[in-house]
Amino acid sequence: MIEGQTPEEKLNLILVLSFFLLLLYSDSNWYVQIPITILVMLAFIFPQLRIEPKFWFIITTIVFFGNFRNWYIIDNHKHLLAYWCLSIFLALLTKSPFQIISKVAKALIAFVFLLAVLWKLVAPDFINGSFFEYSILFDDRFKILALKMGGVTESMMEFNEVARSALTNYDSRLDIVVVKSTPGIKFLSKTITWWAIILESVIAIAFLLPAKTKISKHRDFFLITFIILTYPLATVIGFGWLLIILGLSQYEYRFKYIPVTYIALFILLQVYRFPWNQMF
Amino acid sequence: MVILKQAYMLPRLKEIPIGLVPLIVMFAVVVLQFYQVAYHSLTPWKGGGFGMFSTVDSPSSRILRVYLIKGQEEIPILIPRRFQNKAQVIRMVPSMTKLEDLGRELIAREWVPFHLSPAVKQYQKLVLDKQDHGVADFSQILGGNPANTFFQEDFFSVDTKMLRMLEENEITVDSIEHLKFEQVRLEVWKYKFIPSPPALEAQPIMKLIVGAKMKVLE
């Protein structure tokens, strides 16, 4: 996505990246994964298929079908992926598909973050820091944070895990278990809580407002910051990749290193998958 | 760089806000999810509402407790593998209908005590069983390996006081008692994190007894 690229070239890049996303991070059930893999292969072998609306209609239908069958089990980004496939299909029916995709991408980012912020504001256990205190204490992805910055010891973590198992075990009749925490964890959780609310609110506002506004001109910086800081911990890489594709799609040429940064984030998110927890 | 030319487009569609369609679909899903969270105890993490990482009430904080009932005795059971998907959906978005459906499946089955015993001992016990389940006489091919020799002694096993569901067409030795139950109690709980003093507290969402006399408990 460099200055001077035609809309067709930009569209081709977005479609190729979307195919990679479908190949690597779509539904793992066979009735989605197998047909999607075949279709993506065909799209790489026969480039003309990439801009064929009927082709994307088939992809969209398969993705929506998979979502419907696993409605209560799938993660949110699978829904977002379905909307994105639908956007591509509909955009390809028009004379200016890249323009449509660009506008939809901006709107999708805006509303995803708006919804995320709304949920955080209405959830009492988010605002008071409980959610992150719980996550840092119990979620393996936050373990390194708990040990290095929260003042938690391995034996405390083990105690907490045993306590949780006692509560959730099939034969448990307990309704409360004590766990261990530290003042460091409480401080950390409150800090992360407000950081998350502020950053996601800024992103939502930046992407909702018209492109001429000052905050909207810098919206890519905010989104890139979010991706860099979030995905070391919330390792939902498919969501990260989709946000990068949406970011690239809506990018308007203002800062010439933004597109390269978005592309580099694809690599960075894969680097995040290294087992860093085991190394430190 | 591959330059693709569009082969097909509908005329005059540039004037139609076609880009709104995905957003409309998204909002329809979001409204449905809000409704299900508010009125059907769906966890905010699921259902397409983008509520992940906003609350402790996630799929992993939901608990399904199941007890087979015989008289005054209640025996907790692990959800059998064949019902794990059903159980997962029940945890995400519990309903009396789903609980009843699972409950009826469970009381329709037979249950046997679950003994932990090493695989080798299980094999030896089955082969030495008088009905021998069609296993041929292998004594001639056991060879000199003493491990192949069968011992007519009590086989090491650990009584776990657990029950497991008998699968259809599963063969068991005669001495194992098959149990049937007329009632089962199913409870869906969710836990929350209490920051001070730090604790995890479980709260019931829904309870149901399924059987001869159905009873909604909560």
Side-chain angles (χ1 to χ4, degrees):
Chain A
M1 308 290 282
I2 56 174
E3 192 184 19
Q5 271 190 325
T6 64
E8 288 78 21
E9 287 168 335
K10 290 177 187 174
L11 177 66
N12 183 56
L13 176 63
I14 295 302
L15 295 178
V16 165
L17 292 173
S18 300
F19 282 127
F20 272 116
L21 180 67
L22 284 163
L23 193 62
L24 297 174
Y25 292 110
S26 64
D27 194 330
S28 57
N29 288 296
W30 66 267
Y31 43 80
V32 174
Q33 195 174 61
I34 293 174
I36 289 293
T37 301
I38 293 170
L39 289 169
V40 169
M41 277 172 50
L42 290 173
F44 281 122
I45 296 168
F46 304 106
Q48 194 58 30
L49 281 177
R50 296 176 205 170
I51 56 167
E52 177 56 55
K54 290 176 201 162
F55 186 73
W56 275 97
F57 176 75
I58 297 170
I59 289 175
T60 303
T61 304
I62 294 168
V63 171
F64 267 100
F65 173 73
N67 285 1
F68 180 74
R69 278 211 62 170
N70 300 287
W71 195 262
Y72 297 116
I73 299 171
I74 58 171
D75 288 341
N76 289 321
H77 71 277
K78 299 276 167 53
H79 291 278
L80 187 59
L81 179 59
Y83 308 143
W84 182 235
C85 292
L86 178 61
S87 308
I88 293 174
F89 158 61
L90 293 170
L92 289 172
L93 295 171
T94 70
K95 286 184 181 174
S96 309
F98 183 72
Q99 210 174 16
I100 302 288
I101 280 173
S102 185
K103 288 187 163 66
V104 174
K106 186 167 179 279
L108 284 174
I109 294 172
F111 289 118
V112 162
F113 278 89
L114 181 65
L115 289 164
V117 169
L118 284 174
W119 273 113
K120 289 172 170 68
L121 292 176
V122 303
D125 57 352
F126 190 88
I127 288 288
N128 69 6
S130 296
F131 169 72
F132 272 117
E133 186 172 356
Y134 166 81
S135 298
I136 295 170
L137 288 173
F138 286 95
D139 193 327
D140 269 346
R141 293 171 290 192
F142 291 88
K143 187 176 176 181
I144 201 165
L145 208 62
L147 292 170
K148 302 290 183 195
M149 294 177 69
V152 173
T153 62
E154 290 271 11
S155 66
M156 285 171 72
M157 298 202 86
E158 201 179 317
F159 177 92
N160 288 343
E161 207 41 64
V162 169
R164 181 167 66 169
S165 295
L167 185 66
T168 59
N169 203 42
Y170 81 99
D171 64 349
S172 174
R173 290 182 189 266
L174 300 173
D175 57 15
I176 191 162
V177 292
V178 292
V179 296
K180 296 187 177 181
S181 186
T182 66
I185 293 284
K186 290 188 188 300
F187 173 76
L188 206 54
S189 61
K190 284 201 162 49
T191 306
I192 298 175
T193 294
W194 285 104
W195 165 255
I197 289 177
I198 291 168
L199 179 58
E200 291 180 26
S201 300
V202 167
I203 293 172
I205 293 167
F207 278 83
L208 275 170
L209 290 177
K212 294 174 195 174
T213 56
K214 196 170 180 181
I215 190 173
S216 187
K217 285 179 188 170
H218 294 87
R219 61 186 186 271
D220 296 291
F221 287 110
F222 301 128
L223 181 62
I224 288 168
T225 302
F226 174 83
I227 293 170
I228 290 172
L229 294 180
T230 301
Y231 289 99
L233 299 170
T235 50
V236 191
I237 303 297
F239 209 153
W241 270 31
L242 185 47
L243 285 179
I244 295 169
I245 293 171
L246 295 177
L248 260 176
S249 302
Q250 58 78 48
Y251 162 74
E252 293 164 340
Y253 186 76
R254 291 183 199 281
F255 306 102
K256 70 175 182 177
Y257 295 112
I258 293 289
V260 167
T261 307
Y262 272 128
I263 300 287
L265 288 181
F266 279 111
I267 300 168
L268 182 64
L269 261 53
Q270 292 303 311
V271 171
Y272 285 162
R273 294 178 63 201
F274 281 30
W276 299 107
N277 264 348
Q278 296 167 25
M279 293 181 191
F280 296 100
Chain B
M1 185 74 70
V2 175
I3 298 180
L4 305 169
K5 289 194 185 293
Q6 276 183 278
Y8 174 76
M9 64 184 112
L10 297 177
R12 296 169 58 189
L13 268 181
K14 66 178 180 181
E15 303 299 330
I16 301 170
I18 202 167
L20 286 179
V21 173
L23 301 175
I24 292 169
V25 173
M26 178 180 179
F27 273 106
V29 170
V30 165
V31 167
L32 175 65
Q33 193 251 8
F34 278 6
Y35 168 75
Q36 289 186 309
V37 168
Y39 296 104
H40 294 284
S41 302
L42 172 66
T43 161
W45 282 56
K46 298 292 180 182
F50 299 96
M52 268 178 92
F53 298 106
S54 66
T55 174
V56 175
D57 185 16
S58 67
S60 61
S61 73
R62 295 282 178 103
I63 309 163
L64 176 61
R65 294 175 176 169
V66 181
Y67 307 88
L68 295 170
I69 301 172
K70 199 169 195 113
Q72 298 300 314
E73 195 184 5
E74 290 186 347
I75 306 170
I77 55 162
L78 277 164
I79 303 293
R81 190 177 298 177
R82 65 167 53 230
F83 299 125
Q84 288 287 347
N85 283 345
K86 273 190 182 175
Q88 190 179 17
V89 174
I90 286 173
R91 280 193 290 269
M92 306 289 179
V93 55
S95 72
M96 290 298 179
T97 311
K98 291 193 197 88
L99 282 179
E100 185 186 347
D101 178 47
L102 177 60
R104 294 214 179 278
E105 293 267 20
L106 294 173
I107 57 177
R109 308 287 176 145
E110 289 182 327
W111 298 79
V112 292
F114 184 74
H115 294 285
L116 277 176
S117 57
V120 170
K121 297 296 182 189
Q122 285 183 42
Y123 156 70
Q124 291 173 339
K125 188 171 166 58
L126 280 177
V127 168
L128 277 178
D129 181 63
K130 283 187 179 162
Q131 292 194 358
D132 86 4
H133 307 296
V135 175
D137 181 7
F138 286 119
S139 54
Q140 291 180 347
I141 65 168
L142 291 178
N145 185 352
N148 290 337
T149 309
F150 296 161
F151 294 96
Q152 290 265 20
E153 63 188 33
D154 283 339
F155 292 95
F156 171 75
S157 70
V158 175
D159 183 4
T160 60
K161 293 188 170 41
M162 284 169 65
L163 294 179
R164 68 171 181 86
M165 191 180 80
L166 211 54
E167 295 292 340
E168 287 167 11
N169 304 318
E170 184 182 343
I171 298 165
T172 60
V173 294
D174 283 348
S175 57
I176 295 178
E177 186 189 1
H178 294 196
L179 303 167
K180 280 215 75 160
F181 295 84
E182 290 184 352
Q183 284 191 316
V184 59
R185 188 169 78 199
L186 303 104
E187 302 176 352
V188 184
W189 295 65
K190 66 178 178 184
Y191 66 71
K192 64 178 184 181
F193 179 78
I194 300 173
S196 189
L200 296 178
E201 184 183 27
Q203 295 165 329
I205 300 174
M206 210 172 273
K207 294 181 183 180
L208 180 68
I209 291 181
V210 176
K213 293 176 192 169
M214 281 250 309
K215 195 173 166 190
V216 174
L217 298 172
E218 203 147 326

